[in-house]
């Protein structure tokens, strides 16, 4: 049985996999182009999820299962996959720890003025007279109260914060003091010190934040986007930040990625830009490979206990 | 009854105090020099704790109680205070929240490479290829497992960290997986990803870290000092960092404060210096004033339920 990778895993993980499944045939290709020759013989494809097209699915005559080692599935050719009855699993659940850590790091960086202290160090300046805030007692509005939002709320409660969550139907979730629906979330904006967007990209969530949403926020509020860049138009963010409607925006995702080098957003004083890395972690692939190995064992033993099976109709 | 302040509190807190105690006589002086004229008539002195001398205590004939609105008492003239039987209370317990938040902010800043991302933003550079670490799974050695160390350990457990604590006798403390004594703590250094010093300054803790302590640490370890600067000689830190024995030092306190502008430590690439601000918080004085008001009420009603009474013999 051939398992085809459309990326090259780190040597340690590769060797561990080969050792764990000595009877299986693994092919590791650096990119989908090099994998195309072998795709007809692959029963299993392991991919980051952004390279497979309808054409690949059409020619993959033996393909039974696609393991996506990420959580984003927007680019998957689900129609072709559905027609052929191919199983899809992903690595959801492994993002919540690094993304929640990243979010708290960014919030604390803002509250504790670390970039200003860094500048003072460069200037050899010992100056204590900066306003330093606490997370304790502050309110977070977490727009997207799934696994990642729940982990952020869990940490928030431990830091003594108020947590308001937003999901489609406004159902109660653990670690949230209050829940709002996607339709009513605008009512939570005025209470929030931190507005954290973790919505996935769907037709409902595209450009969901308009200028009037930011007008509702406190002028001391911080907007953090670690979800999808198209939740808000870059030109809206530019206006909001230039007019200082809020104190700061922290953007790990943007409508256009990479953000073009000449874009004026880079230079605004009240924005922090990171290059879509909130889920990055030295532990990311080891965790994804644990799921892969579990599912490979299930596959080879013809069992049914797959982890993270995707509902092809729903796309998640 | 005269209450003399050797600092000027923010207007809001001042007015709240006057309103809460309309029958009392408050004097607010910007510094001890201006307060000296009134010190003979003061029954109560409210101070940050670094300005009173033996001479002040000698001339303060009516003085019954000193409220120190900080936790550090090293500079208090305890002999003179003891001879006159003056009550001393302080603001201990209000430092743990801001200091634990500051510490986690600094650890996350290191693990998530925020200063490098900041530099990339200044250069308009979208580069994802930086190693990003997690706190989850890492080990903290908390040298000084009191109220502040306990709060850091509490957060550490929630972040999925291992917590090793150090106190005088090695007694068990909540949120610590393991405890060591001051004499044995060197044995915990090799396991730690983060070594956090929160020891107070005593004859036992002065210059407690020697070069051989840093030699025992991992070369990926981070040393964080939010306790007292004299726990380690600056020249030892310089050597350790220049020889890259550890990955990074984060120093909120230093042997000499302010660190002189011409000191070479400012410019080492593997050091982060903040100007003794880990306990700073917009909520610091409001919390200290809650303790002050409680104790003032106790004083005026001649009751005995003072908060945070200092044992003059022990000095804490």
């Amino acid at each position: 049985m051939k398992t085809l990778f459309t990326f090259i895993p780190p040597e340690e993980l590769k060797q561990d996999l080969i050792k764990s499944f000595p009877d299986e045939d693994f092919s590791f290709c650096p990119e989908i182009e090099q994998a195309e020759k072998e795709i007809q013989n692959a029963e299993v494809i392991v991919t980051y999820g952004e390279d497979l097209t309808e054409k690949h699915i059409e020619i993959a005559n033996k393909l039974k299962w696609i393991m996506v080692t990420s959580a984003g599935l927007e680019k998957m050719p689900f129609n072709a996959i559905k027609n052929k009855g191919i199983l899809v699993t992903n690595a959801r659940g492994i993002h919540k720890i690094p993304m929640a850590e990243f979010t708290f790091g960014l919030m604390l960086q803002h509250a504790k003025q670390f970039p200003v202290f860094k500048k003072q160090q460069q200037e050899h300046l010992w100056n204590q007279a900066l306003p330093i805030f606490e997370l304790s007692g502050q309110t977070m509005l977490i727009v997207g109260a799934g696994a990642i939002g729940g982990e952020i709320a869990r940490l928030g409660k431990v830091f003594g914060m108020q947590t308001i969550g937003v999901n489609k139907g406004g159902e109660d979730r653990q670690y949230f003091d209050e829940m709002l629906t996607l339709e009513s979330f605008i009512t939570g904006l005025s209470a929030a010190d931190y507005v954290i967007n973790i919505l996935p990209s769907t037709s409902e969530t595209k450009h969901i934040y308009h200028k009037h949403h930011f007008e509702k926020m406190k002028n001391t509020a911080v907007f953090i986007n670690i979800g999808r860049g198209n939740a808000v138009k870059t030109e809206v963010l530019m206006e909001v930040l230039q007019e200082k409607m809020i104190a700061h925006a922290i953007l790990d995702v943007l409508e256009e990625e990479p953000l073009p080098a000449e874009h004026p957003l880079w230079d605004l004083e009240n924005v922090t830009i990171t290059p879509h890395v909130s889920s990055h972690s030295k532990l990311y692939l080891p965790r994804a490979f644990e799921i892969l190995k579990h599912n490979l064992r299930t596959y080879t033993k013809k069992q049914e206990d797959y982890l993270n099976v995707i509902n092809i109709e729903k796309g998640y």
Side-chain angles (χ1 to χ4, degrees), chain A residues 110 141 188-197 209-225 232-251 265 268-272:
Chain A
H110 176 78
L141 180 72
L189 291 171
S190 61
D193 300 295
Y194 294 90
V195 176
I196 301 165
N197 180 67
Y209 297 91
H210 298 275
K211 204 170 164 183
H212 66 267
H213 289 86
F214 293 95
E215 278 165 359
K216 288 259 187 286
M217 295 182 201
K218 296 180 185 180
N219 60 15
T220 55
V222 177
F223 175 73
I224 301 178
N225 194 359
V232 50
K233 284 187 185 166
T234 306
E235 64 210 58
V236 171
L237 285 171
M238 284 291 297
E239 276 181 56
V240 163
L241 293 170
Q242 280 170 328
E243 295 173 25
K244 299 195 196 311
M245 276 184 202
I246 60 172
H248 206 85
I250 298 173
L251 308 170
L265 186 66
L268 296 188
E269 58 173 355
N270 47 358
V271 71
T272 297

Side-chain angles (χ1 to χ4, degrees), chain A residues 41-201:
Chain A
N41 299 317
E43 270 185 53
V44 182
I45 290 178
V46 184
T47 165
Y48 272 117
E50 305 210 322
D51 50 6
L52 291 178
T53 63
E54 287 208 9
K55 209 191 91 207
H56 294 127
I57 304 301
E58 271 169 35
I59 61 171
N61 286 324
K62 296 188 179 167
L63 186 62
K64 299 277 188 305
W65 167 36
I66 302 167
M67 169 73 194
V68 182
T69 53
S70 75
L73 297 165
E74 291 100 344
K75 297 187 179 166
M76 290 286 282
F78 275 125
N79 276 333
I81 288 168
K82 185 180 143 191
N83 291 338
K84 285 199 152 186
I86 294 163
L87 172 72
V88 178
T89 61
N90 75 351
R92 68 166 173 255
I94 68 172
H95 302 76
K96 68 179 189 177
I97 291 177
M99 289 179 79
E101 288 191 4
F102 202 83
T103 303
F104 272 84
L106 291 166
M107 292 197 295
L108 286 165
Q109 175 177 247
H110 176 78
K112 304 304 179 187
Q113 303 254 24
F114 290 149
V116 184
F117 283 121
K118 171 89 180 167
K119 194 158 173 284
Q120 288 189 177
Q121 180 179 343
Q122 285 161 349
E123 294 164 356
H124 298 201
L125 178 62
W126 184 277
N127 167 41
Q128 303 182 310
L130 294 178
I132 299 186
F133 301 92
E134 289 183 18
L135 300 189
S136 177
Q138 302 257 286
T139 297
M140 275 196 284
L141 180 72
I142 301 172
V143 188
I148 299 157
E151 176 66 6
I152 292 170
R154 186 181 75 90
L155 294 179
K157 291 315 295 174
V158 176
F159 274 94
M161 302 182 79
Q162 285 296 108
T163 53
I164 310 174
V166 179
N167 59 16
K168 223 169 172 177
E171 301 89 2
D172 278 350
R173 288 279 181 273
Q174 195 182 8
Y175 308 120
F176 287 94
D177 298 312
E178 193 187 331
M179 292 297 300
L180 299 169
T181 66
L182 262 189
E183 280 172 6
S184 69
F185 88 97
I186 194 165
T187 63
L189 291 171
S190 61
D193 300 295
Y194 294 90
V195 176
I196 301 165
N197 180 67
I198 333 171
L199 291 172
S201 176

Side-chain angles (χ1 to χ4, degrees), chain A residues 253-263 266 273-276:
Chain A
V253 291
L254 287 145
E255 216 181 4
E256 187 182 358
E257 292 181 10
L259 183 67
E262 68 281 8
H263 201 290
W266 288 109
I273 295 169
T274 53
H276 204 146

Side-chain angles (χ1 to χ4, degrees), chain A residues 64-65 87-89 291 294-309:
Chain A
K64 299 277 188 305
W65 167 36
L87 172 72
V88 178
T89 61
I291 299 173
H294 173 99
N295 283 355
L296 257 180
R297 219 165 277 125
T298 298
Y299 185 88
T300 54
K301 292 184 179 169
K302 299 188 197 311
Q303 294 172 337
E304 289 300 323
D305 62 329
Y306 287 100
L307 295 172
N308 297 353
V309 174

